[in-house]
Amino acid sequence: MPPLRASGPLHLYVHIPFCIHKCHYCDFNSHEREKPDWQAYQHGLLAELKYWAVTVPFANQHINSIFFGGGTPSLAPPSLIASVIRASGDLFHLDDDAEITLEANPGTVDAGNFEGYRQAGVNRLSIGVQSLNDTELGWLERIHNRRQAIAAYHAGRETGFDNINLDLMYGLPDQPLQAWFDSLQTAISLGPEHLSCYQLTVEPHTRLATSHASRPYPLPDDDLALSFFQQTRQQLQQAGYQAYEISNFSRPGRACRHNDGYWQYHDYIGIGAGAAGKCNTPDGGIIRYSNIRTPERYMATASAEACAINTRESLDSQKAAAEAGWLALRRTAGIERSLFRQRFHRDAWQYFSNQLDPWHKQGMLNVDDRGIRLTENGLPLADAIAASVL
Amino acid sequence: MSKHTANQAYTRNFSIIAHIDHGKSTLADRLIEETGALSEREMKKQVLDSMDLEQERGITIKAQTATLDYPASDGNNYIFNLIDTPGHVDFSYEVSRSLQACEGALLIVDATQGVEAQTLANVYLALENDLEIIPVINKIDLPSADIEEARRQIEEVIGLDASDAIAVSAKTGEGIQDVLEAIAARIPAPENRNDQQLRALVVDSWFDPYVGAVALVRVFDGVLKKGDRIRLMSLATASSYEVQDVGVFMPQPVSCPELASGSVGFMIAGIKQLADLKVGDTVTLERNPTSEALPGYREPKPMVFSGMYPVDSGDYADLRDSLEKLNLNDPAFTFEPENSSALGLGFRCGFLGMLHMEIVQERLEREYDLDLITTAPSVIYRMHLTDGRNFETSNPSEFPDPATIERIEEPTVTANIFTPEEFVGTMMKLCQERRGTQQNMTFIGQGRVMLTYMLPLAEMVIDFYDKLKSLSRGYASMDYELAEFQESDVVKLDVLVHAESVDALSLIVHRSIAESRGRELVKKLRELIPRQQFDVPLQAAIGGRILARETVKAVRKNVTAKCYGGDITRKRKLLEKQKAGKKRMKSIGSVEVPQEAFLAVLKLGEGN
């Protein structure tokens, strides 16, 4: 097999699909199970890791980050987390400074577990706060309240985590701007290294979508959504957070390396139910796979066959370039021309100028020697602009 | 097979006339089955409706026929020619030709519904043709059947003697024998006129890919034989054709040596183009021709027009080929190239009526797999200019400069509306809104009323029938016939999208409703045109005067909030879909306009 093109660092995503309660807006692969079979699940994860460790192109690579996402990873016993991290080091090369994140639900926090995760090697927490308003949390069907959210943050700090993210959501039905700013300012006052702020999206196949279709919720119109979006960016900037992606903000140097890897078109391994992975192919294209989604079917298959892939898609070099362009435009750094040239052997602006020039002329894009970036005007229309390169 | 051609005394030619859904096809099936022309196993339900579209819509589009042997109780063997008639007002000319071929007709009235609009229209056509009418009251098996009331309505509303109306259930077969006996006993036999010069009426014609145009003919005078050389009297040219085959439908085609006077059957004569074999035309012999054609022939005249454009302008040639092919089977629609600045190259098509338009569109999309943009239907206007010039047009883009117009005439129709009393007010309001003039109102009993209105055809082509049905919760029925052209104060309503006048959206409308129509139209367009990256003003105007204005607000935010490793494929596909959707739209200047917008005028009043 011909040598693969450099694809930058390799990342590992580990999906923990279990939840105590699945919130109505959630479209992640999460499942309510009273007593998950953690042993079987761990077995499946390790079997998959072993499989990928001997499979081209992942074999012998350096892993630069691990991300335990969910579902609710903070339900998992620390021993499971520890065994996955240990196996990653044993089977691959785990960088000394690897970023290892675990998502935690404030309703499941147990100080003993936090200590266990830290000892297992987790060095970054991502706490699903969503809101710091109890009425909003109730509507969202979260299993925690404002007090528990704040307590979870402090518990993280007390356990010694010096890299914490808080997830927040805005644009809830009838939510006044001020109510959102109250949550946002409270979160800022806690001093986390990182904040992710998402507009609530009605995703298909969720309970929210069903109820919204029969009786629409008063969700913000375009103008209000734009105010949420722009003022959120302003407030975070004033508080010293840098926007490095559409919905992600961090203290300098504290961007999430793992997530940023997706937008930089790095390769990643995904293990666990419904997890997705991606690798470059020798022809300049990519292959992406995703695993069986139902936890029980996943466990049975992963344990028996060491591989639990459900679907695969491959993109040729041209399609991959378009996809890479779309994803990179989500980043504040945009499409970096030198990296794009390295990966696709073409100049990004020459390649996309037909589609992007109209946007450039309208002041939606900045183009210079370094790269192609959305301007403040272009950011809110990122999808329309991205769709033109796809 | 000569028994099918010879003995006029035992031949009976008849049609079945009915309102849609009153059970015409079921009764026809039952008659075919009872006389053993087809075994039950061979019977595909509703044999006579053979086109897919007909079976789906439950209507008969082309007339078809079946020849049945019937040994009657008087000891004689009869030959019944059942000539099917199309069941829709758009095809009333075809109906009248079918009826002309008969000596009698079965009039079906649904015992649960009573007399309906189409019943009446068809009875009048039958009476014009001097047919013996046998009233048949159908669906007597249903619990809500009221035979006496149906009888009363036949007498009072239609004015026929219903004392010997036959009560049947086409579904269970009850009364079918009585119908067959009545056909033999009551419908007059055709005359024996074998010694006259040949005159055969083209009752229907269709295109067969193997043998060319085929005619269903009724021979009135003389004998039509295989090998004869014939002429079609409406054709100016002296071209003649050799009869290659004649025969009858049993209901499958069966050849026979000749069709004598009084008989009904098919004729194949090597005629290449269906357009040459016109319904209502007279067939005569080349060597010994008659001097006088059978009465009633007229050229099919399209009354409703619309523009048809390929969504993808690259499909223009395909559309032209498809129209040509379809035209071989259905010469009643017309088409000629048209150029729209908004839609590019397409065709202006003419149809007999709204249903005919829908059928043609549907066949183009279904059988020829074309994506079409159809513009709002319009009617023919007669333009009289101050300089003495006259012309007819249906196309808003040919609307003359108002300063040069002396007067304009538009076609009108006489419509009969049958409605339960409780909806009379609503129906009258609808007709008034559509510029109707009331001509008559009759209470027909059982709480039902017949309204007769004179209405502009232009008001009928835009969702009148749908409105009538929805406002009466489906209870009202309607039929109409064309009346004369009348002077009318019509204007051209322009629609401007992003300050650009869009020819494909403009309309010819009556001045009195131009403003409200314009206002509704731009409001509807605002819902149909997707938001762009900039504000798009929509305006309705007459001349330079703006009557209404709406704005499609710009998209201000369109960005996926979350996009991580597991979401990428799905989110990319969503964006690709958005982009593909745009490709199916027409660009008008910098604005993307979807297909539906061009039919917005048909959707006025929906969902507001």
Side-chain angles (χ1 to χ4, degrees):
Chain A
M1 183 166 273
L4 287 172
R5 297 217 170 93
S7 58
L10 175 65
H11 306 277
L12 172 65
Y13 177 79
V14 186
H15 193 73
I16 308 294
F18 305 108
C19 277
I20 291 172
H21 173 75
K22 187 173 172 88
C23 304
H24 62 156
Y25 61 84
C26 172
D27 79 326
F28 288 112
N29 184 39
S30 56
H31 302 265
E32 291 176 14
R33 295 286 185 275
E34 225 165 279
K35 280 209 168 111
D37 186 344
W38 291 112
Q39 218 176 343
Y41 199 74
Q42 175 176 327
H43 197 253
L45 293 174
L46 296 179
E48 271 199 284
L49 262 187
K50 278 181 201 135
Y51 170 81
W52 290 120
V54 295
T55 304
V56 175
F58 296 138
N60 297 317
Q61 299 278 321
H62 285 256
I63 288 179
N64 182 254
S65 75
I66 303 177
F67 196 103
F68 292 90
T72 311
S74 54
L75 288 175
S79 58
L80 179 149
I81 304 297
S83 74
V84 172
I85 296 172
R86 199 178 315 119
S88 309
D90 293 348
L91 296 165
F92 297 84
H93 306 276
L94 184 58
D95 288 345
D96 293 342
D97 64 343
E99 173 196 274
I100 303 178
T101 306
L102 180 130
E103 285 184 336
N105 183 323
T108 65
V109 169
D110 165 319
N113 274 1
F114 269 19
E115 181 55 37
Y117 298 143
R118 231 183 86 74
Q119 280 176 13
V122 174
N123 53 27
R124 185 172 180 272
L125 279 184
S126 175
I127 304 177
V129 171
Q130 315 312 351
S131 166
L132 288 162
N133 173 313
D134 284 346
T135 312
E136 290 174 4
L137 287 167
W139 183 83
L140 289 166
E141 301 184 358
R142 301 295 301 185
I143 57 170
H144 66 273
N145 56 25
R146 172 189 165 99
R147 189 188 50 76
Q148 287 170 300
I150 294 171
Y153 174 81
H154 291 310
R157 283 291 189 232
E158 280 154 25
T159 314
F161 285 104
D162 64 356
N163 196 359
I164 297 184
N165 166 58
L166 304 180
D167 269 355
L168 295 171
M169 252 195 243
Y170 61 76
L172 310 187
D174 268 339
Q175 185 186 36
L177 274 173
Q178 196 48 52
W180 158 239
F181 296 146
D182 289 348
S183 279
L184 180 61
Q185 287 302 331
T186 308
I188 289 171
S189 71
L190 294 173
E193 284 66 34
H194 190 286
L195 282 155
S196 300
C197 302
Y198 306 105
Q199 183 182 344
L200 170 72
T201 309
V202 181
E203 295 286 357
H205 315 300
T206 57
R207 280 187 287 121
L208 176 63
T210 312
S211 54
H212 186 63
S214 63
R215 194 157 156 242
Y217 288 105
L219 296 173
D221 62 12
D222 257 28
D223 287 340
L224 182 56
L226 190 62
S227 298
F228 272 110
F229 181 75
Q230 288 175 335
Q231 296 193 36
T232 300
R233 294 177 77 83
Q234 279 165 17
Q235 296 202 7
L236 284 163
Q237 197 184 11
Q238 280 162 16
Y241 291 90
Q242 295 172 340
Y244 67 97
E245 193 254 2
I246 299 226
S247 306
N248 284 282
F249 306 84
S250 75
R251 297 276 185 216
R254 295 298 194 129
C256 175
R257 232 187 284 159
H258 183 90
N259 287 337
D260 208 17
Y262 296 134
W263 306 313
Q264 296 186 76
Y265 226 48
H266 295 167
D267 281 0
Y268 52 96
I269 301 171
I271 61 172
K278 172 234 155 194
C279 64
N280 290 337
T281 55
D283 63 357
I286 64 148
I287 290 174
R288 192 176 282 112
Y289 69 85
S290 74
N291 278 350
I292 294 168
R293 292 171 65 87
T294 314
E296 291 71 23
R297 284 191 48 227
Y298 161 78
M299 290 185 263
T301 311
S303 300
E305 294 165 34
C307 170
I309 293 179
N310 180 38
T311 63
R312 264 192 195 85
E313 73 163 347
S314 18
L315 304 183
D316 61 19
S317 157
Q318 209 176 342
K319 284 219 149 198
E323 190 181 73
W326 157 51
L327 291 170
L329 280 174
R330 294 185 66 86
R331 303 179 69 232
T332 304
I335 305 171
E336 293 171 85
R337 287 169 92 162
S338 59
L339 292 176
F340 190 88
R341 197 176 297 113
Q342 238 176 54
R343 170 66 179 79
F344 294 105
H345 302 277
R346 295 181 179 111
D347 176 67
W349 182 244
Q350 274 179 11
Y351 192 59
F352 294 127
S353 60
N354 269 348
Q355 299 96 306
L356 292 182
D357 201 43
W359 302 104
H360 185 216
K361 289 210 171 82
Q362 291 176 55
M364 306 281 185
L365 289 170
N366 272 329
V367 184
D368 59 23
D369 289 346
R370 276 184 301 129
I372 306 168
R373 296 171 299 278
L374 297 176
T375 61
E376 283 299 317
N377 287 334
L379 270 172
L381 296 174
D383 282 6
I385 299 170
S388 65
V389 306
L390 288 174
Chain B
M1 281 296 151
S2 60
K3 66 172 180 171
H4 289 298
T5 67
N7 202 339
Q8 285 81 7
Y10 300 112
T11 298
R12 299 290 180 266
N13 298 315
F14 70 101
S15 285
I16 305 176
I17 54 186
H19 186 75
I20 192 164
D21 289 342
H22 279 197
K24 184 175 77 166
S25 297
T26 320
L27 181 70
D29 290 355
R30 192 58 73 168
L31 295 176
I32 293 169
E33 202 182 295
E34 280 296 310
T35 54
L38 285 178
S39 72
E40 199 167 343
R41 208 162 51 82
E42 288 171 303
M43 293 268 309
K44 198 172 152 197
K45 219 174 131 277
Q46 307 201 341
V47 174
L48 292 181
D49 290 353
S50 65
M51 281 170 80
D52 278 359
L53 270 173
E54 293 181 19
Q55 292 217 341
E56 270 174 40
R57 288 170 176 251
I59 49 169
T60 309
I61 297 163
K62 303 288 283 179
Q64 303 195 22
T65 191
T67 297
L68 315 170
D69 289 327
Y70 180 64
S73 58
D74 63 9
N76 295 313
N77 280 330
Y78 287 84
I79 293 161
F80 289 171
N81 291 312
L82 162 56
I83 298 161
D84 199 12
T85 56
H88 191 277
V89 60
D90 284 2
F91 306 101
S92 64
Y93 173 68
E94 281 78 358
V95 176
S96 71
R97 292 318 91 200
S98 294
L99 295 176
Q100 192 184 349
C102 304
E103 279 77 27
L106 304 178
L107 164 68
I108 306 186
V109 174
D110 185 325
T112 66
Q113 314 246 332
V115 170
E116 293 282 357
Q118 275 168 21
T119 327
L120 203 66
N122 287 334
V123 169
Y124 290 153
L125 285 175
L127 291 173
E128 271 170 36
N129 284 290
D130 284 331
L131 301 196
E132 175 68 31
I133 297 175
I134 303 174
V136 174
I137 298 169
N138 191 20
K139 304 200 188 176
I140 59 168
D141 57 301
L142 294 180
S144 56
D146 187 342
I147 301 172
E148 282 319 302
E149 178 56 29
R151 215 184 280 277
R152 196 188 64 75
Q153 286 187 18
I154 292 169
E155 297 203 336
E156 289 182 14
V157 182
I158 306 181
L160 287 176
D161 177 8
S163 57
D164 46 7
I166 306 166
V168 308
S169 163
K171 202 168 125 205
T172 65
E174 187 183 348
I176 297 299
Q177 277 303 325
D178 298 341
V179 174
L180 291 165
E181 285 296 317
I183 293 167
R186 287 161 60 181
I187 293 179
E191 281 177 69
N192 180 337
R193 296 168 63 93
N194 286 354
D195 55 348
Q196 305 284 308
Q197 290 155 316
L198 177 69
R199 289 204 298 177
L201 174 74
V202 178
V203 177
D204 190 15
S205 63
W206 59 93
F207 191 80
D208 181 287
Y210 298 103
V211 299
V214 182
L216 175 70
V217 295
R218 156 72 199 260
V219 182
F220 280 90
D221 299 334
V223 178
L224 179 65
K225 296 193 206 66
K226 214 180 268 192
D228 282 345
R229 283 204 79 84
I230 54 122
R231 276 191 49 214
L232 294 157
M233 293 187 70
S234 79
L235 294 186
T237 58
S239 49
S240 68
Y241 306 92
E242 187 182 319
V243 177
Q244 294 161 350
D245 201 2
V246 292
V248 294
F249 289 102
M250 300 291 296
Q252 307 91 336
V254 176
S255 292
C256 56
E258 59 177 44
L259 295 172
S261 66
S263 50
V264 175
F266 65 83
M267 174 189 82
I268 296 166
I271 300 169
K272 297 278 183 299
Q273 294 199 36
L274 190 55
D276 289 343
L277 194 53
K278 298 183 191 103
V279 170
D281 206 350
T282 303
V283 179
T284 191
L285 289 180
E286 187 191 21
R287 297 259 300 275
N288 181 18
T290 177
S291 55
E292 200 179 335
L294 292 160
Y297 173 74
R298 68 177 154 84
E299 295 281 334
K301 188 164 165 49
M303 292 307 298
V304 176
F305 292 81
S306 76
M308 283 195 185
Y309 294 85
V311 171
D312 179 347
S313 54
D315 288 343
Y316 174 76
D318 281 350
L319 175 58
R320 188 191 54 218
D321 292 350
S322 306
L323 284 166
E324 279 169 3
K325 272 185 213 153
L326 199 56
N327 206 216
L328 288 178
N329 284 302
D330 182 0
F333 83 86
T334 59
F335 62 99
E336 54 185 51
E338 177 179 67
N339 195 348
S340 154
S341 55
L343 301 177
L345 286 175
F347 294 91
R348 187 106 197 132
C349 302
F351 310 94
L352 299 174
M354 287 298 287
L355 178 78
H356 190 213
M357 179 173 104
E358 278 176 41
I359 289 168
V360 170
Q361 270 170 27
E362 214 168 302
R363 291 187 64 183
L364 285 171
E365 298 206 335
R366 195 185 294 197
E367 293 169 32
Y368 298 95
D369 197 23
L370 290 167
D371 276 334
L372 297 177
I373 290 177
T374 310
T375 63
S378 169
V379 302
I380 281 264
Y381 293 91
R382 286 185 184 156
M383 308 287 181
H384 300 269
L385 304 187
T386 47
D387 64 3
R389 280 191 307 128
N390 300 322
F391 68 99
E392 290 191 344
T393 187
S394 68
N395 194 338
S397 68
E398 289 172 9
F399 197 85
D401 177 351
T404 68
I405 298 171
E406 191 213 84
R407 65 195 161 87
I408 298 173
E409 291 176 322
E410 65 173 343
T412 63
V413 301
T414 308
N416 285 322
I417 297 168
F418 281 60
T419 176
E421 263 174 61
E422 54 177 311
F423 300 117
V424 166
T426 323
M427 292 297 114
M428 287 170 65
K429 186 159 168 275
L430 172 66
C431 291
Q432 275 157 22
E433 281 167 9
R434 301 301 178 102
R435 299 190 281 129
T437 330
Q438 192 181 316
Q439 313 255 295
N440 202 358
M441 176 158 97
T442 319
F443 288 84
I444 57 178
Q446 250 191 346
R448 298 197 323 137
V449 175
M450 179 176 85
L451 293 168
T452 307
Y453 266 85
M454 176 85 94
L455 284 153
L457 178 62
E459 298 292 334
M460 306 275 299
V461 300
I462 295 179
D463 81 347
F464 185 85
Y465 190 70
D466 294 342
K467 272 272 156 59
L468 175 118
K469 281 289 177 194
S470 66
L471 290 173
S472 66
R473 284 193 262 117
Y475 286 114
S477 66
M478 180 195 72
D479 210 334
Y480 67 86
E481 58 183 309
L482 289 167
E484 72 253 28
F485 275 72
Q486 284 189 352
E487 189 168 340
S488 176
D489 184 13
V490 293
V491 293
K492 183 185 174 197
L493 180 69
D494 288 309
V495 174
L496 289 81
V497 174
H498 213 216
E500 229 179 282
S501 173
V502 181
D503 57 357
L505 287 171
S506 59
L507 295 172
I508 300 175
V509 291
H510 194 262
R511 191 183 298 277
S512 66
I513 53 165
E515 190 162 339
S516 61
R517 192 60 61 83
R519 202 173 304 121
E520 280 184 80
L521 186 55
V522 289
K523 206 166 151 201
K524 195 75 207 174
L525 285 171
R526 194 194 59 192
E527 293 166 20
L528 293 171
I529 296 179
R531 297 187 305 155
Q532 324 271 321
Q533 307 323 322
F534 43 84
D535 282 357
V536 179
L538 305 172
Q539 294 160 305
I542 296 178
R545 195 165 65 89
I546 305 293
L547 304 173
R549 184 194 159 102
E550 295 276 346
T551 305
V552 180
K553 288 296 227 177
V555 177
R556 312 219 29 217
K557 184 165 183 290
N558 176 15
V559 52
T560 303
K562 280 191 187 189
C563 187
Y564 295 106
D567 308 325
I568 293 171
T569 300
R570 188 171 64 83
K571 302 229 152 134
R572 188 193 71 237
K573 284 182 178 163
L574 271 178
L575 292 179
E576 284 171 345
K577 219 166 130 191
Q578 264 181 36
K579 199 179 173 187
K582 277 198 168 178
K583 272 198 185 149
R584 289 175 44 86
M585 295 191 203
K586 280 281 173 186
S587 294
I588 293 181
S590 48
V591 182
E592 314 275 352
V593 179
Q595 283 162 274
E596 311 90 73
F598 297 97
L599 280 176
V601 67
L602 291 181
K603 303 200 165 94
L604 298 182
E606 274 175 28
N608 289 328

